[in-house]
Amino acid sequence: IKTKEDLTINIYAGINTGEQIKISGKGGKGVNGGQNGDLYIEINVQKDPNFERNGDDISIKVPIDFIEATLGTTIEVPTVYGNTCELKIPAGIQPGTILKMRERGVKNERTGRVGNQFVHLDIRTPQNLSKKQKELLNEFKKDDKDNFFSKFMKNFKK
């Protein structure tokens, strides 16, 4: 005899794809009138458009402009918990730098460990500069005696 039953299941925070929840006594009927078996529910966590999960750690890509990267700043970074946390961006940070926010990841219910959140900085360069902005940047370039390209080219001059 097939029956339908609605169940309320508590899914703990931080559960991951592939993990199972066991509900005792809600499986198939036992043999020869024995106890019912157990029901196992396998979890499939949907992907988030902003966050990427790797075990208990979380990654997010955050855009900043090249002026913030050059001068340094403090930004608000979203977390998986729906709030934001301040993150200090040091002056002169380079593209590809990954900053760690300790214990802002997922709490592992088995170990009690809280993962980290890694912030991948996406340093943006402006595309449409005003005439004044171009002049200021050219002035900066002239004042920069130790510019990167000059240092690079010194390696090739004999």
Side-chain angles (χ1 to χ4, degrees):
I1 299 172
K2 291 186 178 187
T3 61
K4 181 180 176 183
E5 181 179 349
D6 290 333
L7 299 173
T8 300
I9 302 165
N10 292 322
I11 298 177
Y12 61 86
I15 197 164
N16 208 350
T17 294
E19 292 186 51
Q20 294 182 342
I21 296 176
K22 175 183 168 184
I23 303 173
S24 299
K26 295 297 181 180
K29 294 282 184 194
V31 179
N32 295 327
Q35 291 182 326
N36 289 352
D38 299 329
L39 171 65
Y40 288 88
I41 299 172
E42 186 169 325
I43 302 300
N44 185 17
V45 179
Q46 291 180 341
K47 292 196 181 260
D48 185 276
N50 300 307
F51 297 101
E52 187 176 310
R53 183 172 179 178
N54 183 9
D56 297 330
D57 295 328
I58 298 293
S59 292
I60 186 171
K61 191 175 187 177
V62 177
I64 64 170
D65 65 44
F66 81 106
I67 296 170
E68 292 171 321
T70 303
L71 300 177
T73 189
T74 300
I75 61 172
E76 291 287 326
V77 178
T79 71
V80 291
Y81 299 103
N83 60 346
T84 60
C85 291
E86 281 191 351
L87 178 65
K88 186 176 182 344
I89 308 295
I93 199 153
Q94 297 298 305
T97 300
I98 301 169
L99 300 175
K100 181 178 6 178
M101 298 171 64
R102 293 191 183 282
E103 297 186 348
R104 298 289 183 194
V106 177
K107 182 177 181 182
N108 186 313
E109 289 295 316
R110 291 187 179 105
T111 65
R113 176 190 174 274
V114 179
N116 300 310
Q117 180 166 315
F118 293 95
V119 179
H120 300 253
L121 295 176
D122 182 16
I123 300 174
R124 302 282 174 99
T125 305
Q127 294 178 332
N128 300 313
L129 295 173
S130 70
K131 185 177 178 181
K132 182 173 181 170
Q133 289 170 322
K134 287 179 185 179
E135 288 171 3
L136 289 170
L137 285 172
N138 278 319
E139 194 174 315
F140 170 78
K141 186 177 177 180
K142 287 177 191 173
D143 284 350
D144 187 13
K145 307 279 189 262
D146 271 342
N147 71 48
F148 301 113
F149 188 70
S150 295
K151 285 182 181 178
F152 172 75
M153 290 308 291
K154 284 181 186 176
N155 292 325
F156 296 99
K157 291 184 181 179
K158 306 240 178 198

